[in-house]
Amino acid sequence: MLGEIIFFYRNKHGITQEELASGICSISYLSKLENGKIHPNKDIIRDLFNKLGLSLEDIVEEEKQLISLLEELKELILSRRADLATQKKKEIEMLIANKMVNPTVLRSNFILEIGFQLLTKNVQRATEVHSTVEVFVKYLTIEQKYLYHKYTGLLYYESNDMVRCLEELLVGLDIGENNHIIRPDLYYQLALAYSRLYQVPICVYYAEKALTLFDQASDYIRSTECKILLGINHNRLSNFQKAESYLRSALKFANSYGTPHLSCIVLHNLGFLYSARGDRKIAINYYLESLKIRNESDVNRYLNTLYYLAKEYYSSNQQSTAIEWILRVWSLPQVGMLNFTR
């Protein structure tokens, strides 16, 4: 680590190995030190640090502070608390801008930057930072590699490339489980990717693992998301009773925690469940309830619910009502702005 710090700041100040080693040690000794091939001599380290204008004590103290802030940022990203994560990121940026920073810690900051940009829906910036991290992947610590592969998987998920998403997430899973650093969010993301590919049994397997761990951590909002996913996939298996049990439990928690975006998803899927059972009247009621609280700005999901509602009306021989709901699509500002001409 000390050799890496010397290498980083020697290059930052534009000093050659010959210039830095002069009067202190041989060039070959400095090269081996920078590449971590020898155990550093304390006196030589002190002299090299002095020549670079560095204080080992200050670096150690500042590193502890920065590591603590990065750990807090990581937890905020995991818990998806975007506002607090933004504030914490500003603290970190100020510290890095004004202090000497260990390159290993800087790499952690780059990796968490990917996670932060994904959290705040800035996929383009996340992709740019990811390209930077690719250059020094071989230098990453075990935990950094775990996060790197997880975030790479999420980037592929955002681009709808589920195959490559799973490849990266499974590498992260292997690293995490072998080093006891696995987190339930990775199990959930695996379940989500498998669900998108309609690989139902393995989706259920990972969703159940994630649910158990989220429940243990009393993270009931994430537990609710797992139950929604389990409800959807048990419905696909025609396990209607189990699907309904998960969805009703999810609705209870979504309503109690004041998360309307989750409530409308559950209501939509209860509608889909009753449609699969052939009970169109109840399915219609659930779709209507979902639309009441669905945010129209989430246009894709809004249109999805509206489509299935119109479909149920049409299949119930209520064609005129189905047409009325279809015509409502054109009243949505987001849809009205679309150009359907070729």
Side-chain angles (χ1 to χ4, degrees), residues 261-304:
H261 67 288
L262 291 180
S263 296
C264 61
I265 291 172
V266 179
L267 290 166
H268 170 94
N269 282 288
L270 281 168
F272 200 80
L273 171 63
Y274 273 91
S275 176
R277 285 177 165 178
D279 196 330
R280 302 193 187 285
K281 185 176 180 180
I282 296 179
I284 286 171
N285 288 336
Y286 277 122
Y287 286 137
L288 289 171
E289 286 298 311
S290 179
L291 286 174
K292 282 181 183 177
I293 57 175
R294 174 75 77 184
N295 188 339
E296 292 184 5
S297 63
D298 189 357
V299 64
N300 289 331
R301 285 179 171 169
Y302 188 89
L303 290 176
N304 190 41

Side-chain angles (χ1 to χ4, degrees), residues 161-180:
D161 189 340
M162 294 302 120
V163 174
R164 296 178 75 179
C165 166
L166 282 171
E167 287 175 356
E168 292 294 334
L169 293 179
L170 289 170
V171 172
L173 177 68
D174 186 57
I175 294 170
E177 290 189 331
N178 288 334
N179 294 278
H180 309 290

Side-chain angles (χ1 to χ4, degrees), residues 97-112:
N98 298 307
K99 306 292 182 182
M100 298 174 290
V101 182
N102 183 333
T104 302
V105 180
L106 278 176
R107 286 196 280 269
S108 288
N109 183 58
F110 273 116
I111 292 170
L112 289 176

